Amino acid sequence: MLSFLTEWYKNRFSDPHAITLMFIIVGIGLALYFGAGLLAPLLIALVLAFLLEWPVAQMSRLGISRTAAASIVLVAFLGLMLILMLGLAPSIWRQSVSLVADLPTMIDKGMSIVKGLSAEYPQFISAAQLDSMMEEINKMLDTQHLLDLGKQILGYSASLLVLMVYAILVPLLVFFFLKDKEQLLKGSKRFFPDNRDLARKVWLEMDQQIFNYIRGKVIEIVIVGVVSYIVFALMGLRYSALLGVLTGLSVLIPYVGATLVTLPIALVAFFQWGFSPEFGYLMLSYGVIQALDGNVLVPLLFSDAVDLHPVVLIAAVLVFGGLWGVWGVFFAIPLASLVKAVLNAWPNAESPKMTLDSE
C-alpha cells in the first residue's frame, strides 16, 4: 500500500509546475474562503473589470488610449445600470410592498381551502394538524414577530452606508484595473513562482470559457426575465414585474432555480384565479418559457461551454454556494469547469512533463 501511494505521489506531484499550480489554487481558495468579506469590493471590481475588458481592448485596437477607453466603457456601464435601477427598482418595491400587504388575505383564502379539504378528507388532513398549522401562522403574524422583522429591516438599512462606500469604491477600482491592466499583471507576477507553465495553460483554457459563460448568463437572465414579465403582464398576473425578475434570476441556479421560482408563481396565480382556465394557461406559458430556455436558449448561448453532467452542476452549486453564497452560485459552473480543466491538464504517469518541457 505504501509503495502504491509513493508511486502515485511521484507520478502526480514530481513535476514542479504541478506543485506550483496546486499552491496557487489552494492559496486563492483559502484567501477567498477566509477573506471574502473583507475583499468583497476588490472581488466585485475584478469581476466587472474582467467583463468590461473586451470592449476596452476593442477600443484600444482602434487607437484609443486605455485611459480614455476605460473611462468611456465605465461611464456607459454605470449609466446603463442606473437606468435599469431607476426603471425597475420602484416597480419591484411597490409590488413587494403590495405582496406583503396581501399576504394575510392569501393566507386566509388558503386556510379556508385547507379547512374544506380537511372536512372532505379527514384521513389526510386532521383537525389537530390544521390547528397546529394555524398556530404557527399566527405566531408568524403576531406583533412581536413584526417588531423583530422591523428590527431586521432597520439593521439592513444600516448597511446602506456600506453600499454607498461600495458605490464609490468599486467603480474606482474597476477604472484602475482596466486602465493599468498590464502594469498590475506585471507587478503581480513577482508573487508567483517561475514554474507556472501548467497554471498558465489552465488559465488560457479557462479565460475565454469564463468570459463566454458570464456574458451568456447575463444575456439569459435579461431574455428570460423580460419575456416572463411580458407574458405575466399580458395575462394580467399580479406582481408581474417582481415575478419576472425572480424568473430571470432563477437561471443563475441550474435546475434548482426554476423549481424554486415555480412555487411563488403558482401560488400567486392560484390565489388570483383559483383552479381556472387562466391558471392553466399561465402555468402552461411558464412551462413553455422554461422549455425554450433549457432547450433553445442555453444551447445557443453556451454551445462552447464545457460539457458537465447535471449531477456535477447541482453538486457544484451546493458546494460553491455553501462556501461563497450568491457569488459561489453564480460562478458554480465556471468553477466546476476549472476543476475539470485542472484534472485534465494535471501530469499523469504516462507523460508527467511532456507538455511543459515542450513549451
Side-chain angles (χ1 to χ4, degrees):
M1 182 65 180
L2 181 60
S3 61
F4 172 78
L5 293 176
T6 303
E7 186 68 22
W8 178 85
Y9 177 81
K10 288 181 180 179
N11 290 334
R12 298 295 179 178
F13 295 95
S14 59
D15 191 343
H17 296 274
I19 300 297
T20 299
L21 175 60
M22 183 186 69
F23 276 109
I24 290 175
I25 293 175
V26 171
I28 294 176
L30 291 175
L32 291 175
Y33 182 77
F34 291 105
L38 296 175
L39 300 175
L42 186 64
L43 297 175
I44 295 173
L46 278 173
V47 172
L48 293 177
F50 182 79
L51 287 174
L52 299 177
E53 168 60 25
W54 185 83
V56 172
Q58 299 304 313
M59 295 176 69
S60 298
R61 291 191 181 98
L62 297 176
I64 303 175
S65 67
R66 281 198 69 92
T67 301
S71 302
I72 294 171
V73 170
L74 185 59
V75 169
F77 174 76
L78 292 177
L80 179 61
M81 292 297 102
L82 186 61
I83 291 173
L84 290 176
M85 289 296 296
L86 293 178
L88 283 177
S91 178
I92 294 175
W93 174 256
R94 287 193 301 268
Q95 293 191 10
S96 300
V97 172
S98 177
L99 177 60
V100 172
D102 291 342
L103 274 178
T105 303
M106 291 183 176
I107 292 173
D108 290 340
K109 184 176 179 180
M111 291 309 301
S112 64
I113 295 174
V114 172
K115 287 179 181 178
L117 293 175
S118 176
E120 190 172 354
Y121 304 103
Q123 66 273 25
F124 297 111
I125 305 177
S126 65
Q129 291 175 330
L130 188 60
D131 293 339
S132 177
M133 188 185 304
M134 286 293 299
E135 183 178 350
E136 291 297 326
I137 293 175
N138 290 331
K139 285 181 181 179
M140 293 176 59
L141 297 177
D142 65 5
T143 305
Q144 185 60 43
H145 179 78
L146 294 177
L147 290 175
D148 293 338
L149 182 61
K151 292 178 181 179
Q152 292 179 8
I153 294 174
L154 289 176
Y156 293 142
S157 64
S159 63
L160 286 176
L161 293 176
V162 178
L163 293 177
M164 291 175 63
V165 173
Y166 278 24
I168 299 173
L169 189 60
V170 170
L172 192 63
L173 287 171
V174 172
F175 173 75
F176 285 116
F177 283 150
L178 293 173
K179 171 179 159 310
D180 303 322
K181 174 189 172 183
E182 298 300 328
Q183 294 175 279
L184 293 173
L185 288 177
K186 185 177 180 180
S188 63
K189 291 180 180 179
R190 298 181 303 164
F191 301 98
F192 294 95
D194 294 331
N195 300 322
R196 55 177 182 266
D197 290 346
L198 185 59
R200 187 183 301 112
K201 177 182 177 181
V202 172
W203 169 248
L204 290 176
E205 180 180 344
M206 290 301 303
D207 182 23
Q208 193 61 35
Q209 289 186 11
I210 294 176
F211 175 77
N212 289 339
Y213 169 78
I214 298 175
R215 181 190 60 185
K217 188 58 68 174
V218 171
I219 295 173
E220 184 187 8
I221 290 173
V222 173
I223 293 176
V224 173
V226 170
V227 171
S228 299
Y229 166 71
I230 293 174
V231 171
F232 296 160
L234 289 176
M235 299 190 69
L237 182 67
R238 301 186 65 184
Y239 323 114
S240 55
L242 177 61
L243 295 176
V245 170
L246 290 178
T247 305
L249 294 177
S250 68
V251 304
L252 287 174
I253 312 176
Y255 306 104
V256 180
T259 304
L260 292 177
V261 81
T262 301
L263 181 61
I265 292 174
L267 288 176
V268 171
F270 172 75
F271 286 120
Q272 182 174 345
W273 294 310
F275 288 116
S276 63
E278 290 82 359
F279 176 82
Y281 294 148
L282 178 77
M283 297 310 298
L284 178 62
S285 302
Y286 173 73
V288 170
I289 292 173
Q290 293 294 341
L292 292 176
D293 174 46
N295 296 287
V296 177
L297 192 59
V298 169
L300 187 65
L301 294 175
F302 305 103
S303 58
D304 55 349
V306 176
D307 185 23
L308 295 172
H309 194 276
V311 174
V312 177
L313 295 180
I314 295 174
V317 168
L318 295 176
V319 172
F320 295 117
L323 290 175
W324 296 304
V326 176
W327 288 107
V329 170
F330 185 79
F331 289 104
I333 294 179
L335 289 172
S337 301
L338 174 61
V339 172
K340 183 178 180 180
V342 170
L343 293 177
N344 291 337
W346 200 272
N348 52 44
E350 289 75 17
S351 55
K353 299 183 183 181
M354 178 178 59
T355 303
L356 299 176
D357 289 343
S358 65
E359 293 177 356

